Amino acid sequence: MTIENDVIKRISNARSIVFFTGAGISAESGIPTFRGKEGIWNKLRPEELANFDAFMRNPALVWEWYKHRMEIVHSAKPNAGHLAIAEMQNIFKEVTVITQNVDNLHRRAGSKTIYELHGNIERNYCVKCKKFYNEDFDLGGGAPKCSCGGLIRPDVVWFGEFLPEDQFAAGEKASRSCDLFFIVGTSGVVYPAASMITIAKNNGAYLIEINIEPTEVSSLVNLSITGMSGEILPNLVKAIKDFRNMKD
Ligand code: BJW
Ligand code: ZN
């Protein structure tokens, strides 16, 4: 990877950085993406699994799918990309992660300020009384039930549902005030999450995309870096550290 010196300089001089991430950053941890060549939604229909009506129609089927996903997430580890983003906290004063991922891997990598726009697969709640559960219920057969009799569901955001207001507002604020905005491993097609990108752009941030292929948002960014985030991000950390050492 060769990144022009003036870009490294611009990155190194940034004050406040946002990483807006999607499924691609966790692909190298063995968690499948949704869309694209290897995407799970090439085989499964999201409208049958990722909306509330589908869940109420067939909770056991939807739970089957989420149990499978939970197992993958539990056995996955943060990869070099997640770790590089966490390492950025030792270089820059303000590093914010805004993620669409539900897999908790940024937290496990050590990132501190994380806004989860689409929830967290390791958290669940009762659709009736809203009581929260971690995974302290019987995940045996069928769909788990709360002590009140209501169905327990994963605390993720399905199509047609509102994003968690506090997470969205905090993400919006960080996007508005950052000077550098990275877009990592996302197709950028799901709204309102993807609006973070235009918010950052309209407020003058420099936009850098890291992806294995061009996306819907490539035309908006200042720089596209093509490649796997688990390779690009650690290289970037090294280049920034080298630049800073040179300056001292
Ligand atoms: C690599 C790599 C490597 C691979 N290195 N890169 C405006 C316009 C049009 C539609 C809408 C709109 N506003 C709202 C909508 C509707 C809808 C929507 O956006 N639909 C579009 C898809 C058409 N949005 C909603 O319904 C949202 N809610 C909402 O709008 O509420 C308001 C409302 C309420 C009531 C009535 C009406 C409106 C909610 C969206 C919830 C999305 N939920 C999901 C599932 C979460 C649960 C779960 O995990 O099961 O979130 S969908 C799925 O997509 C998941 C992801 O977070 C999200 C984004 O996907 P992501 O992360 O970008 O992954 P991919 O697979 O798409 O891309 C991976 C990328 O990585 C690719 O580019 C690869 O190239 C790259 N890659 N390996 C770097 N190693
Ligand atoms: Zn309940």
Side-chain angles (χ1 to χ4, degrees):
M1 174 193 73
T2 24
I3 301 178
E4 306 284 330
N5 265 348
D6 58 331
V7 174
I8 295 295
K9 186 172 165 195
R10 180 186 277 272
I11 297 173
S12 302
N13 291 336
R15 186 187 40 80
S16 170
I17 305 191
V18 166
F19 288 91
F20 176 67
T21 66
I25 193 163
S26 296
E28 290 157 79
S29 293
I31 302 178
T33 61
F34 295 93
R35 303 168 187 84
K37 285 192 286 286
E38 305 295 327
I40 45 177
W41 285 345
N42 282 334
K43 294 160 214 136
L44 298 161
R45 289 157 59 85
E47 57 272 29
E48 281 171 15
L49 295 167
N51 75 73
F52 185 72
D53 290 342
F55 176 70
M56 292 313 277
R57 255 196 323 269
N58 195 344
L61 172 75
V62 175
W63 261 109
E64 209 44 57
W65 155 247
Y66 278 95
K67 277 183 226 172
H68 170 67
R69 300 260 312 279
M70 280 172 180
E71 278 164 22
I72 296 175
V73 165
H74 287 329
S75 56
K77 290 194 182 67
N79 65 52
H82 300 103
L83 295 171
I85 292 179
E87 176 66 17
M88 296 280 187
Q89 296 169 139
N90 299 324
I91 309 178
F92 297 99
K93 238 175 149 174
E94 240 178 84
V95 180
T96 304
V97 176
I98 305 174
T99 190
Q100 300 165 86
N101 298 346
V102 298
D103 59 26
N104 237 345
L105 290 184
H106 284 298
R107 192 164 290 111
R108 282 166 59 194
S111 283
K112 298 278 186 284
T113 307
I114 306 166
Y115 303 122
E116 293 173 321
L117 299 184
H118 292 160
N120 189 313
I121 202 170
E122 294 184 326
R123 213 170 42 223
N124 304 276
Y125 67 91
C126 166
V127 298
K128 202 164 155 200
C129 73
K130 313 291 177 215
K131 179 179 168 191
F132 276 96
Y133 290 82
N134 291 323
E135 282 162 17
D136 44 348
F137 49 82
D138 182 14
L139 262 175
K145 287 230 171 112
C146 175
S147 47
C148 81
L151 278 165
I152 298 175
R153 61 164 280 180
D155 190 7
V156 297
V157 181
W158 286 324
F159 286 111
E161 293 186 320
F162 291 105
L163 276 56
E165 217 171 298
D166 57 334
Q167 303 293 293
F168 189 79
E172 208 176 7
K173 188 164 174 238
S175 303
R176 212 179 301 120
S177 60
C178 69
D179 41 19
L180 188 55
F181 190 90
F182 284 93
I183 303 154
V184 187
T186 177
S187 55
V189 296
V190 174
Y191 281 83
S195 64
M196 298 290 157
I197 300 167
T198 38
I199 291 171
K201 189 176 170 68
N202 292 341
N203 284 279
Y206 188 80
L207 267 51
I208 302 180
E209 177 178 49
I210 301 175
N211 202 303
I212 52 170
E213 59 186 28
T215 68
E216 292 284 311
V217 299
S218 300
S219 60
L220 293 177
V221 304
N222 299 92
L223 175 70
S224 277
I225 306 177
T226 306
M228 300 207 288
S229 46
E231 288 175 10
I232 306 284
L233 286 164
N235 284 340
L236 210 51
V237 167
K238 187 174 176 308
I240 298 165
K241 283 185 174 169
D242 288 350
F243 177 84
R244 291 208 164 180
N245 287 338
M246 254 164 31
K247 246 181 30 175
D248 295 339

